Every structure is written in structure tokens, then in C-alpha cells.
């Protein structure tokens, strides 16, 4: 083996550690910790560039969309370490992921490191010894078409996001934004809510009978009424969203259903078996997981968010347990098929395995078949049982799901028989009626031994007939009626999107990439555009404003087909068809028959913000208005004076848009107006104390006295008593406005019963509990953003509830301060403790801080990502989190702007020299600085 030093660069410390085990001693594996460069915010550009062509986007749209990249503050330390390691290396291996993002990370590394040694692109889709050795022996060149596609997407998202978010802020409201995929996903959620708002329910009835071959319960089964007089009775699927019957089915009313049930109960009514039918039942296994289907199934079965699923999957991949988790392909390699079939044979028997290997192909509109499906790594799969002591918590759950799905995909179909019985009765007082019942008996389980896919909520699920266990029957046989019940139903609106169904819909439409869905869905939730209600996504009213603006003024940008075409175009660029700069030019500047983004933004002055944020409900003059602090009902009185302000009615915070019907709006308008309740007078200052109900809950406040209005002096004629002249008083400066004291009521308090004594206690917070006898520091109790707490100097301790603010005494407060600050007051302040960190040599602990759990070695603190359970984090993961935090470096706080100098000295002359696409700027008395612009580097492309 060659003794030359080889440097391998990957994205993450965990991946570096795993790969390092499979390479020789002459290999050094380091992590870039993700992207080392990116487009800066325009505000972060150097001063001399803010007014130039890069000033608006950090992209020069006039010069082939040349981007300006900077090494982030968090990556500077990492870059320095990589450069230092490269000096001692004879070869460089770039082993980032083999998708567009990974290819771009490798390209940026080349641009920054500028290696003078041979460079190899090393790719693999699983981290096993065999896969790493194969990748090491079969390197390729950098694929610049993939880099171009990723860079085009990044620039596109910057142009779209910056331009459209500016429109949103100016027309919808501060803090709102738009994004190429984000806003289209939001449109789907809003469109579904609009369907629910426009929906009119219809009522229909049927009968549910309990029949049997005898009076014994073991022979009985449930059957549903399906026909009356030979005509099918109506069910939910026979109505449209306006509640109108759209088929020739017979609508059964409550009166008719009740009368029919009574007639069937008559002893003279005979029920017989009119028909028996048996059909073979076959069910095929689902394909192995793609990124999208993994997110959907993890949401259904494990209740994971998309973000949580991808985070856990990333860890499993980087530690060598599963294959690459960003893939559109459900296909398995020959090696994986053999492993799955062998394992299924061992565990379930040869007869449960499919006769021939099963092949799967993708159905995604923009599928890229470059990768394999997500599956357990290796030539032989480790069973979940084998990893039960290695993987814990969410990691084990997700591995178990992936393993089961992969093994089941190569197993035999489940087989059985579905029997259907039709029972007929002819009541003396009416027409013949027919009931049916079905039951499926699985005679051969096949893949069901390993796995069964979950399903999403279906519309009008109440019509689905339960599986029945049918007794042995023959045609013409008389049946016993044990019970019959008339049941009423209402048609249901289309169900709201869940994470799983929204991901599925986006993939069906070809919008975005499955690898980005987790961040997109997280974004619309974090920004408050949608709120999870259970598992369903409920849009906020501000989301309606955002979508309305886009649909009415920028239709193409939220058109499903147009957005999908953009994805197809980016795929073509990745395949080497065309260049990113050519495509961006058409998108931004337009072409014949297509308006560019810059052109369509010119009509922003035509958009009326007030109208955009107003939604009229019913015909009572009321409207929903989206304001700075949220939505409210605005009621206009048609007979009001011109200067009379409309009445404002608050909307309950938990009320979904589809619940705000015209009737509900009127109910809120007609509800008694909650007026201020006077509690009394504060004896200390003579101010009136009142209880109020505000948008964010009830509170108490003191009313400031009305300022005295100085009247102008009048000159009066003593003879007539008339005013003959008014002497104006001299104008005096306005007195400073005094902000009244306010205090929120505790959750346990009722605004209708709170008294003056309690109100004064609240207004006088923080409360002095007593002085610490050792230090003399006063201890106070108060309420804060994160709940009730005690304070002593700069030290704090959380209280269990708000009531303790008034109840705790000095002894109790001193006892709390004597205990550890966090960790739920346990004897040990750490949730878990580990051995020493390999880098710092200090013991690692997991602690629970005021802002959440974190890992620490006493020097470096690393927040535990959302979705990970602190108790389930092991030593390796703790070391990894600390390594990532160290690589990012300390948080850089923005400095206050320096005061302007009294006089500005003339700038020293600059000497510039261009080397390729790198501009080197030399300045007198300063060190040499280099800034990289644009797309340069390797001109080669992979042959794959």
C-alpha cells in the first residue's frame, strides 16, 4: 500500500468517524460541517459592494447571474483546519454525498482550498467497508452539471425569495415572506381550507342490522342496507360539495329509515340469504422507501415530523446502518434483493418469499433514479433485534420501519378469500330491501408477516363497512334479525392536509424535491402560516392573504404546473442540457410570450393592502381583517356617521377559518360585549383599577386620570354678556405620556371574580420575598416569558406554578437557591453523564437548561436538536454534537455601528489584479484579501 498521505473530506463528523474505520492509517478524514460558503445577505456585503451590481441579491443579474460567495463566520475555523491538513497531503479525496448538494459542497471546497495535489471525487450510497473500498478504487471527476443545477436553484430561490418577500412585507404585513416551493405548499393548504369553507353538508340515512343463522351471538354478523325496491340507497359519495345528490341513488330520510326499521322488526317479516359470492383476495407488498414515502410512513406510524424523520435517518446513514436517505428511487440493487430474500427465508420460511426477485420503479413526476431505495446497509442486513442494544429510541424505531419495509418488499403476495352475503327481506308494509356484509379471510400471509402499510384518513369514512366474520350459510336459508338500527350520517368535507398527505401531494405534482420537504413544512409552521391541529394543518388568515396576493397578481408563480416545470428544467440542467445562467435569464428578464420576474413586479402599486387583507363573510356588513396583531372581525354600521370607526370583534385564537361561518360571525358579533370591570381605587395613588379582556387574555390595569384641557380665556362684554374676543393661551410643550401599569391574570384567576386586593398584588409585582441572610441580596418573585421564577441578583430559579409567586416564603426561596439551577431539582444536575470527550479530555454531561436540553463538556455547549430525546443520546452522538458546535465556532454578535469620523481621509489607491475568476485586491498598509466570484473550477463532467 502506498505511504502517501491522503486527505478525505466529508460533510459531518459522524460520517468522518465511520468512514475513517474503513480506510488505512495513511488516510486522514475530516469534516467540512456542511457548506463552507454561501450567498451572504445583501446587508452583510462589504461596504464598497452594497451599491454595485451585487448590492441587491449578492448576485450580479446583469452579468450572467454571477454569484458572490463568502466563507461563513462559523466555517472559517474549519477552512483553516482543512487548509492546514491539505499542506501535508499528497492526494485529496472529496467524499461528500453524491447528490447535487454534495457535489456543490465539493466544488466550493475546491474553490476555497485551491489544492495543488491530485483531486479525486469519491461517491457511495452506503457507508460499509465494501462500499468505501469500492468508491476509493472507482473515483470520478467532479460533475459540474450537478453543481450548475444546485447553484441555479440557490440563485433562483434568492431572486424569488428576496423579490416576493419584499412585496409580501409591503402589501400583506411585516414579517411575511414568500418562497418558490413554500408558497405553493401554502396554497395547497389554503385551497383545501377554502373547499371546507364552501362545503355544504348533506344528511342521509341507512340501516344497520345484526343478522345470524341462530340467536347465538357466535353466528351473528352486521349487515348494511344497500337497496330498497331494487334501487341503491344514497351514501356520502353520491353527493357533491354543495350537498346536492349527483346520482340516481335513492335518498333515505330519517322518517323513512325509522319506519323501515320498525317494519323489519315485525315478526311477520322474513329475512333470507338471497346470494353468496366468494372472490379470491390478493395484496401486493409496498415498494421499498424513497425519501418521500419514508417521511409519509414515519408520520403515520411513528408520528414523526418530516424534519425529525430526516434528522434521524441522517444519523443512521452516517453511522453506517442504512443507505443514503435522499433518493427518489424505490429500486434495490441485486445485492440488496439477495439480502432481503435471504433474511425473509430465514425468518419466515421459503414459502413466504416471492418466487422471483421483485423489481420496483419510481412513479414520482421528477424521479431521479441515480440512487437506490432507502434500505439497511450492507450485503447482509442486521435485524432490529440485533441492534436493540446499539440503537435506541427514535433511531431504532426508524431502522425497524426501514428494515421491515425492505424485507417485506421481496416477500410473496398475501392471499385469501373475500365472501359477500346478500340478505333480502320484504316487509308487509313496503318494498323489498337488501342488506350486504363482507368478510375477508387471509389464507396465506406472505409479506404481512413482516409489514403492513398504514393509510391516510379518507373522506366519508363512515360509509365504509366493517369486516364481518361470516358463518357458514346457504342460499335461501332463513336468517334471524337480532337488531336493526336507523343511522343518520352527514357528508364530510375534504380532510385537511397532514404532513404525510401534503408531502404525497407535492411529490405527485412534481413540486420541489423530497429532500427539501422537511424544511419547507417546518418553515410554514414556524412562521405561523399553518398551525398543526392534531396531525392536520390549519392555515392562519395571514396565509389566505399571502395566497390571494400571489393568485391575483402573480398567478404563474403559484401555478402547480409552472412550478413543476421549473423542477423539470433544473433536472435538465443537472443532466447537462443547457446552462443555469441561460435559464435564469429567461426566468428573471423574460422572453417572448413569457413575462420575467422583474417585469411582473412593476405592478405592485396596483395592489391595495387593505382589500388584500379583507375577507367578507356573509351579507351582514362584517368582514375578517388581517391586522398587525392577527385577524379580527370588523363590523361596519351602514347608518354610521362618516367619522365613526367600525366596531372590532376579536376572533378566538383557536378558531379555524372553516369554523367561521356567517352564522358564527353573527354569533360573535351578538355576544355580550365584555366591558371593563371596575375593581376599586388604589389607596396608594388614587387611581381606578379595572379588569379588562385583551386579545392575549385578561389583565388588570390602572386608569390614568384624563389630562386637564386648558380653556382659552374669553373677553366678555359686561353690558350684553356676549363673548367678543377669545384670547388664545400660549402653546406649551406636551406632557410626557404616562404608560399605565398592567399585569396579566394568572391562569387560575377568573376576570369576572378577581378582586381589588388580588389586582393590587399583581400590579405590585415583582414581590419582595426577603433578603438572603448571607449576601444581603433581595429575593423577588415574578412572572416572566418562560413562567414564574425567583430572582436574586443575576441568579434565578423557576417556580412550579404562578400561585407560588405569592405563596413562597423566604425559607422556601433559600431552599430553591440551594439546589442546582436546572435538572428538575434532582440531586444530580445532569440528565446523563459520559466519559471524557476525546478532544477536550473533560467529562461530557447532558443537562436540561432554561432553553432546552444540551450537551456540555464544561467548555462547549451544544443544543440537542428538536426531535431527539436527551435520555436516548449515547456517547458517540454527544461527541458528534460537541464537534459540530466547535467547528461552527462561537456566535458572532453584531457590533454597534461606529460613530462617523469628523473628516474622512482620502482612500488609499488600490491595485487590482485578476487571476482567472479570482479578484485579488491589494491595499496600502493592509494584508492581501481574496474574494471569489462565480462559477469557476473543474471543467470536467462525470460520464454517468
Amino acid at each position: 500500500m502506498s505511504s502517501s498521505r491522503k486527505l478525505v473530506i466529508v460533510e459531518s463528523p459522524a460520517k468522518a468517524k465511520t468512514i475513517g474505520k474503513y480506510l488505512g492509517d495513511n488516510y486522514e478524514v475530516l469534516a467540512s460541517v456542511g457548506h463552507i460558503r454561501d450567498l451572504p445577505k445583501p446587508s452583510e456585503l462589504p461596504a464598497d459592494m452594497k451599491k454595485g451590481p451585487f448590492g441587491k441579491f449578492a448576485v450580479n443579474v446583469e452579468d450572467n447571474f454571477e454569484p458572490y460567495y463568502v466563507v461563513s463566520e462559523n466555517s472559517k475555523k474549519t477552512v483553516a483546519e482543512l487548509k492546514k491538513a491539505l499542506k501535508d497531503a499528497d492526494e485529496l479525496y472529496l467524499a461528500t454525498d453524491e447528490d447535487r448538494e454534495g457535489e456543490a459542497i465539493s466544488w466550493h471546497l475546491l474553490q476555497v482550498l485551491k489544492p495543488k495535489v491530485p483531486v479525486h471525487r469519491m461517491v457511495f450510497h452506503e457507508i460499509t467497508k465494501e462500499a468505501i473500498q469500492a468508491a476509493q478504487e472507482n473515483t470520478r471527476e467532479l460533475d459540474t452539471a450537478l453543481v450548475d443545477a444546485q447553484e441555479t436553484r440557490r440563485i433562483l430561490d434568492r431572486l424569488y425569495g428576496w423579490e416576493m418577500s419584499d412585496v409580501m412585507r409591503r402589501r400583506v404585513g411585516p414579517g411575511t415572506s414568500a418562497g418558490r416551493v413554500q408558497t405553493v405548499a401554502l396554497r395547497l393548504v389554503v385551497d383545501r381550507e377554502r373547499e371546507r369553507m364552501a362545503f355544504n353538508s348533506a344528511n342521509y340515512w341507512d340501516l344497520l342490522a345484526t343478522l345470524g343463522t341462530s340467536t347465538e351471538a357466535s353466528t351473528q354478523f352486521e349487515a348494511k342496507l344497500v337497496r330498497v325496491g331494487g334501487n341503491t340507497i344514497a351514501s356520502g359519495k353520491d353527493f357533491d360539495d354543495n350537498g346536492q345528490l349527483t346520482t340516481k341513488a335513492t335518498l333515505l330520510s330519517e322518517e323513512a329509515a325509522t319506519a323501515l326499521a320498525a317494519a323489519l322488526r315485525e315478526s311477520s317479516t322474513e329475512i333470507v340469504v338471497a346470494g353468496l359470492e366468494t372472490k379470491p383476495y390478493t395484496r401486493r407488498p409496498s415498494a421499498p422507501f424513497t425519501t418521500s414515502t419514508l417521511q409519509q410512513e414515519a408520520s403515520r406510524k411513528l408520528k414523526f415530523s418530516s424534519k425529525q424523520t430526516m434528522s434521524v435517518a441522517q444519523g443512521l446513514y452516517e453511522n453506517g446502518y442504512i443507505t443514503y436517505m435522499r433518493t427518489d428511487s424505490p429500486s434495490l440493487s441485486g445485492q440488496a434483493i439477495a439480502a432481503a430474500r435471504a433474511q425473509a427465508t430465514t425468518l419466515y420460511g421459503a414459502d413466504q418469499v416471492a418466487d422471483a426477485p421483485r423489481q420496483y420503479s419510481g412513479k414520482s413526476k421528477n424521479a431521479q433514479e441515480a440512487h437506490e431505495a432507502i434500505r439497511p446497509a450492507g450485503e447482509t442486513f442486521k435485524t432490529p433485534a440485533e441492534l436493540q442494544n446499539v440503537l435506541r429510541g427514535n433511531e431504532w424505531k426508524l431502522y425497524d420501519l426501514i428494515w421491515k419495509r425492505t424485507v417485506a418488499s421481496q416477500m410473496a403476495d398475501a392471499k385469501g378469500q373475500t365472501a359477500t352475503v346478500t340478505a333480502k327481506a320484504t316487509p308487509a308494509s313496503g318494498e323489498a330491501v337488501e342488506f350486504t356484509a363482507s368478510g375477508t379471510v387471509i389464507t396465506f400471509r406472505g409479506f404481512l408477516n413482516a409489514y403492513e402499510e398504514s393509510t391516510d384518513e379518507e373522506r366519508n369514512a363512515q360509509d365504509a363497512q366493517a369486516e364481518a366474520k361470516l358463518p357458514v350459510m346457504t342460499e335461501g336459508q332463513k336468517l334471524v334479525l337480532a337488531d336493526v338500527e336507523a343511522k343518520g350520517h352527514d357528508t364530510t368535507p375534504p380532510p385537511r392536509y397532514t404532513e404525510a398527505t401534503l408531502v404525497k401531494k407535492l411529490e405527485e405534482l412534481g413540486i420541489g424535491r423530497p429532500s427539501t420537504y422537511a424544511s419547507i413544512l417546518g418553515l410554514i409552521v414556524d412562521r405561523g402560516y399553518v398551525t398543526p391541529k392534531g396531525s392536520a394543518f390549519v392555515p392562519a388568515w395571514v396565509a389566505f392573504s399571502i395566497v390571494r396576493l400571489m393568485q391575483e397578481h402573480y398567478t404563474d408563480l403559484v401555478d402547480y404546473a409552472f412550478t413543476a416545470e421549473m423542477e423539470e428544467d433544473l433536472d435538465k440542467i443537472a443532466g447537462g442540457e443547457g446552462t443555469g445562467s441561460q435559464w435564469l435569464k429567461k426566468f428573471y428578464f423574460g422572453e417572448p410570450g413569457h413575462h420575467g420576474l422583474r417585469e411582473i413586479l412593476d405592478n405592485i402599486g396596483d395592489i391595495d393592502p387593505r382589500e388584500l387583507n379583507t375577507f367578507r363573510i356573509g351579507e351582514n356588513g362584517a368582514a375578517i381583517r388581517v391586522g398587525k396583531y392577527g385577524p379580527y372581525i370588523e363590523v361596519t354600521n351602514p347608518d354610521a356617521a362618516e367619522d365613526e370607526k367600525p366596531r372590532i370583534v376579536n376572533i378566538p385564537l383557536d378558531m379555524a377559518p372553516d369554523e367561521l361561518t356567517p352564522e358564527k360571525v353573527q354569533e360573535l358579533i351578538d355576544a355580550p360585549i365584555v366591558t371593563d370591570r371596575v375593581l376599586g381605587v388604589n389607596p396608594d395613588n388614587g387611581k381606578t383599577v379595572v379588569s379588562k379582556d385583551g386579545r392575549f387574555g385578561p389583565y388588570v390595569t390602572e386608569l390614568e386620570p384624563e389630562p386637564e384641557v386648558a380653556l382659552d380665556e374669553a373677553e366678555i362684554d359686561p353690558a350684553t354678556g356676549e363673548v367678543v374676543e377669545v384670547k388664545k393661551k400660549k402653546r406649551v410643550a406636551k406632557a410626557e405620556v404616562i404608560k399605565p401599569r398592567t399585569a396579566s391574570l394568572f391562569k387560575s384567576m377568573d376576570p369576572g371574580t378577581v378582586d381589588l386586593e388580588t389586582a393590587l398584588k399583581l400590579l405590585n409585582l415583582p414581590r419582595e420575598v426577603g433578603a438572603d441572610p448571607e449576601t444581603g441580596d433581595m429575593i423577588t418573585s415574578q412572572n416572566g416569558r418562560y413562567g414564574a421564577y425567583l430572582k436574586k441578583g443575576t441568579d434565578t430559579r423557576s417556580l412550579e406554578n404562578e400561585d407560588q409567586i405569592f405563596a413562597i416564603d423566604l425559607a422556601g426561596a433559600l431552599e430553591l437557591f440551594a439546589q442546582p439551577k436546572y435538572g428538575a431539582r434532582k440531586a444530580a444536575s445532569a440528565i446523563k453523564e459520559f466519559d471524557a470527550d476525546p478532544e477536550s479530555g473533560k467529562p461530557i454531561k447532558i443537562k436540561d437548561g432554561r432553553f432546552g436540553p444540551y450537551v456540555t463538556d464544561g467548555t462547549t455547549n451544544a443544543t440537542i436538536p428538536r426531535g431527539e430525546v436527551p435520555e436516548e443520546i449515547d456517547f458517540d452522538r454527544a461527541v458528534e454534537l460537541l464537534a459540530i458546535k466547535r467547528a461552527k465556532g462561537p456566535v458572532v454578535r453584531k457590533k454597534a455601528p461606529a460613530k462617523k469620523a469628523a473628516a474622512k481621509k482620502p482612500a488609499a489607491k488600490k491595485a487590482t489584479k485578476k487571476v482567472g475568476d479570482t479578484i485579488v485586491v491589494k491595499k496600502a498598509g493592509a494584508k492581501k484579501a481574496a474574494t471569489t466570484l462565480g462559477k469557476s473550477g473543474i471543467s470536467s463532467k462525470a460520464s454517468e
Side-chain angles (χ1 to χ4, degrees):
M1 182 179 286
S2 172
S3 60
S4 63
R5 299 292 301 171
K6 299 175 176 64
L7 175 63
V8 180
I9 302 178
V10 297
E11 301 97 320
S12 75
K15 189 175 175 182
K17 181 180 177 182
T18 309
I19 290 174
K21 295 188 296 186
Y22 304 128
L23 297 171
D25 294 336
N26 56 330
Y27 284 84
E28 183 179 12
V29 187
L30 297 178
S32 68
V33 194
H35 276 282
I36 58 169
R37 293 198 311 180
D38 196 6
L39 298 173
K41 295 178 181 177
S43 60
E44 297 170 348
L45 286 167
D48 60 338
M49 294 186 71
K50 288 182 178 179
K51 294 182 180 179
F54 293 93
K56 188 172 184 180
F57 305 112
V59 175
N60 186 353
V61 297
E62 304 294 342
D63 186 14
N64 287 324
F65 295 86
E66 194 73 18
Y68 175 85
Y69 292 113
V70 296
V71 175
S72 67
E73 287 294 327
N74 292 337
S75 296
K76 286 181 178 178
K77 181 182 176 183
T78 301
V79 169
E81 291 172 350
L82 293 175
K83 284 183 175 179
K84 183 180 178 181
L86 187 59
K87 286 181 180 178
D88 301 326
D90 301 308
E91 294 177 75
L92 173 62
Y93 286 80
L94 299 172
T96 53
D97 294 338
E98 59 176 325
D99 56 9
R100 296 172 197 172
E101 208 70 27
E103 209 74 14
I105 291 173
S106 286
W107 179 80
H108 282 291
L109 285 167
L110 283 180
Q111 300 305 298
V112 173
L113 300 180
K114 303 186 186 306
K116 296 177 182 178
V117 297
V119 178
H120 311 281
R121 181 73 174 101
M122 181 174 162
V123 296
F124 42 85
H125 71 276
E126 62 179 336
I127 305 177
T128 61
K129 184 175 182 179
E130 296 76 18
I132 298 304
Q133 289 176 348
Q136 179 190 352
E137 295 166 5
N138 298 280
T139 58
R140 62 166 172 81
E141 295 176 323
L142 197 72
D143 188 334
T144 53
L146 287 180
V147 175
D148 194 19
Q150 188 277 340
E151 185 171 71
T152 302
R153 183 190 298 274
R154 183 71 186 91
I155 295 171
L156 167 64
D157 289 342
R158 170 58 63 90
L159 298 176
Y160 186 118
W162 235 247
E163 293 279 34
M164 293 313 305
S165 293
D166 181 56
V167 175
M168 288 294 166
R169 286 189 290 270
R170 290 161 65 185
R171 289 296 177 265
V172 176
T176 52
S177 64
R180 181 175 56 89
V181 179
Q182 164 197 326
T183 310
V184 178
L186 194 59
R187 179 193 162 186
L188 283 167
V189 178
V190 169
D191 280 352
R192 179 56 56 87
E193 195 72 9
R194 286 171 175 163
E195 291 175 33
R196 293 174 64 88
M197 293 167 76
F199 176 78
N200 289 308
S201 183
N203 181 256
Y204 60 96
W205 286 73
D206 59 20
L207 300 181
L208 190 65
T210 302
L211 305 175
T213 55
S214 71
T215 55
E216 291 184 15
S218 60
T219 70
Q220 295 174 355
F221 57 93
E222 285 192 342
K224 190 174 182 182
L225 178 68
V226 291
R227 282 178 290 275
V228 175
N231 298 317
T232 302
I233 65 165
S235 62
K237 67 180 186 301
D238 297 306
F239 296 87
D240 62 17
D241 284 355
N242 291 318
Q244 300 300 311
L245 195 63
T246 58
T247 67
K248 294 180 180 179
T250 299
L251 178 59
L252 205 60
S253 65
E254 179 180 6
E255 184 182 1
T258 305
L260 187 55
L264 288 168
R265 294 189 191 101
E266 294 290 337
S267 58
S268 59
T269 302
E270 190 176 83
I271 305 175
V272 298
V273 176
L276 287 169
E277 184 182 21
T278 302
K279 291 182 178 179
Y281 170 88
T282 302
R283 185 173 167 191
R284 293 173 60 84
S286 301
F289 283 129
T290 62
T291 302
S292 169
T293 55
L294 177 64
Q295 291 175 14
Q296 293 172 49
E297 192 70 345
S299 174
R300 299 185 197 108
K301 276 192 175 349
L302 306 179
K303 308 305 179 188
F304 286 3
S305 68
S306 296
K307 187 175 182 179
Q308 186 179 6
T309 300
M310 294 309 292
S311 174
V312 175
Q314 179 96 25
L316 289 172
Y317 164 67
E318 290 178 346
N319 287 289
Y321 294 110
I322 64 170
T323 54
Y324 192 53
M325 66 287 159
R326 295 187 182 94
T327 174
D328 298 315
S329 173
S331 64
L332 293 175
S333 65
Q335 171 187 294
I337 290 174
R341 291 174 66 82
Q343 204 150 64
T345 301
T346 302
L347 294 173
Y348 305 112
D351 61 323
Q352 302 294 313
V353 181
D355 293 337
R358 291 186 184 272
Q359 303 291 343
Y360 297 91
S361 59
K363 296 178 182 179
S364 174
K365 191 172 180 180
N366 290 334
Q368 297 174 338
E369 306 293 339
H371 301 135
E372 195 179 350
I374 303 169
R375 63 167 177 85
E379 293 181 358
T380 57
F381 301 158
K382 291 183 178 178
T383 65
E386 291 176 290
L387 295 176
Q388 206 145 21
N389 294 325
V390 180
L391 298 176
R392 291 183 179 84
N394 293 343
E395 285 189 334
W396 186 87
K397 291 175 186 175
L398 195 64
Y399 181 85
D400 180 62
L401 192 70
I402 293 167
W403 178 87
K404 286 177 177 176
R405 177 90 162 214
T406 306
V407 171
S409 73
Q410 292 302 315
M411 294 178 69
D413 294 345
K415 295 184 181 297
Q417 299 286 328
T418 298
T420 302
V421 60
T422 301
K424 189 173 183 180
T426 306
S429 58
E431 301 174 288
V433 296
E434 294 177 56
F435 292 81
T436 63
S438 295
T440 298
V441 177
I442 302 296
T443 57
F444 180 80
R445 291 189 58 78
F447 78 90
L448 292 176
N449 285 299
Y451 182 81
E452 185 169 2
E453 187 176 31
S454 299
T455 57
D456 295 308
E457 177 190 353
E458 291 187 6
R459 193 173 180 182
N460 294 315
Q462 70 271 17
D463 293 331
Q465 193 169 352
E467 284 284 318
K469 187 177 181 181
L470 301 176
V472 177
M473 291 174 281
T474 58
E475 279 195 43
Q477 182 177 356
K478 290 183 180 180
L479 296 175
V480 175
L481 176 66
D483 187 28
V484 62
E485 180 186 4
K487 295 184 72 89
H489 308 280
D490 293 306
T491 54
T492 58
R496 290 189 178 100
Y497 283 107
T498 63
E499 278 213 19
T501 56
L502 188 54
V503 164
K504 185 178 181 180
K505 189 65 176 179
L506 288 168
E507 187 178 33
E508 285 175 1
L509 294 171
I511 293 170
R513 307 295 321 161
S515 58
T516 66
Y517 291 159
S519 60
I520 294 297
L521 300 190
L523 192 67
I524 63 176
V525 171
D526 292 343
R527 291 192 173 168
Y529 301 151
V530 303
T531 303
K533 192 173 184 179
S535 61
F537 278 168
V538 181
W541 280 103
V542 70
F544 283 76
S545 297
I546 291 170
V547 173
R548 173 191 271 185
L549 184 148
M550 297 299 292
Q551 287 184 309
E552 292 181 0
H553 300 277
Y554 308 105
T555 310
D556 278 355
L557 297 181
V558 284
D559 180 76
Y560 300 139
F562 178 78
T563 309
E565 284 172 14
M566 283 198 281
E567 291 296 340
E568 291 171 3
D569 291 340
L570 291 169
D571 290 342
K572 289 176 182 177
I573 293 169
E577 300 177 39
T579 65
S581 58
Q582 291 171 341
W583 187 88
L584 287 167
K585 185 177 180 181
K586 294 176 185 176
F587 173 78
Y588 192 69
F589 293 110
E591 59 181 337
H594 170 68
H595 297 295
L597 179 63
R598 189 160 76 170
E599 182 183 349
I600 65 174
L601 290 172
D602 292 340
N603 71 343
I604 184 173
D606 300 334
I607 303 172
D608 179 3
R610 182 174 177 82
E611 186 61 30
L612 182 71
N613 287 293
T614 301
F615 302 90
R616 287 168 179 78
I617 306 287
E619 300 177 357
N620 55 2
I624 308 297
R625 293 267 293 122
V626 180
K628 185 178 180 181
Y629 302 107
Y632 58 89
I633 300 170
E634 184 179 79
V635 187
T636 304
N637 181 359
D639 302 323
E642 228 177 278
D643 59 346
E644 185 179 326
K645 290 184 178 180
R647 181 184 158 204
I648 303 301
V649 179
N650 285 334
I651 299 172
L653 292 174
D654 58 351
M655 184 169 286
D658 75 330
E659 296 171 17
L660 213 54
T661 60
E663 294 77 21
K664 188 64 181 179
V665 169
Q666 192 61 51
E667 181 186 323
L668 292 172
I669 293 171
D670 294 340
I673 298 173
V674 179
T675 57
D676 301 347
R677 191 168 70 87
V678 177
L679 304 180
V681 176
N682 185 342
D684 294 335
N685 56 25
K687 294 178 182 178
T688 301
V689 180
V690 297
S691 168
K692 288 174 172 278
D693 190 18
R695 174 161 184 78
F696 300 104
Y699 65 98
V700 291
T701 186
E702 289 177 329
L703 298 181
E704 295 294 328
E706 292 290 334
E708 292 184 8
V709 179
L711 299 175
D712 296 330
E713 292 180 0
E715 190 79 28
I716 302 174
D717 186 331
T720 64
E722 295 178 355
V723 176
V724 294
E725 185 183 352
V726 176
K727 292 182 178 179
K728 296 285 185 182
K729 277 195 170 285
K730 290 182 180 179
R731 189 178 296 276
V732 293
K734 287 185 178 179
E736 183 181 352
V737 177
I738 300 173
K739 189 175 182 181
R741 292 194 301 167
T742 62
S744 294
L745 266 60
F746 292 175
K747 293 182 179 68
S748 58
M749 295 177 181
D750 182 354
T753 59
V754 67
D755 56 20
L756 178 63
E757 182 184 357
T758 304
L760 292 175
K761 282 184 178 181
L762 292 170
L763 291 169
N764 288 327
L765 289 176
R767 165 182 165 250
E768 291 188 350
V769 178
D772 186 326
E774 291 186 10
T775 65
D777 292 335
M778 179 59 66
I779 299 174
T780 58
S781 62
Q782 54 229 295
N783 230 339
R785 183 179 178 186
Y786 301 102
Y789 67 101
L790 294 173
K791 186 176 182 182
K792 181 179 70 171
T794 57
D795 199 6
T796 60
R797 290 292 185 275
S798 294
L799 293 172
E800 291 180 4
N801 53 59
E802 292 173 318
D803 294 333
Q804 280 195 307
I805 292 175
F806 297 135
I808 196 164
D809 57 12
L810 181 59
L814 292 172
E815 184 181 344
L816 282 179
F817 276 106
Q819 295 176 13
K821 186 169 185 178
Y822 304 122
R825 319 289 178 223
K826 293 177 182 175
S829 59
I831 297 172
K832 289 184 79 172
E833 297 187 17
F834 300 107
D835 293 336
D837 179 72
E839 184 165 330
S840 68
K842 298 178 180 179
I844 298 175
K845 296 180 181 180
I846 296 179
K847 294 187 173 184
D848 189 13
R850 190 171 189 85
F851 303 103
Y854 64 99
V855 179
T856 182
D857 64 351
T859 303
T860 303
N861 296 339
T863 301
I864 294 174
R866 284 175 59 188
E868 295 191 32
V869 180
E871 290 81 3
E872 296 172 355
I873 288 179
D874 57 17
F875 175 72
D876 290 341
R877 179 59 175 157
V879 170
E880 179 189 5
L881 289 170
L882 289 173
I884 292 171
K885 179 64 177 177
R886 287 191 198 99
K888 288 182 177 179
V891 176
V892 179
R893 304 289 182 191
K894 287 189 177 180
K895 295 180 181 178
K899 292 182 179 179
K900 292 184 179 178
K904 190 176 181 181
K905 293 181 180 180
K909 289 185 178 180
K910 299 179 183 178
T912 62
K913 180 173 72 173
K914 187 169 183 177
V915 182
D917 283 335
T918 301
I919 298 174
V920 180
V921 183
K922 295 182 180 178
K923 186 176 180 180
K927 291 184 178 180
K928 184 170 69 176
T931 301
T932 303
L933 298 176
K935 310 166 189 172
S936 60
I938 296 177
S939 59
S940 58
K941 180 184 180 300
S943 57
E944 61 180 30

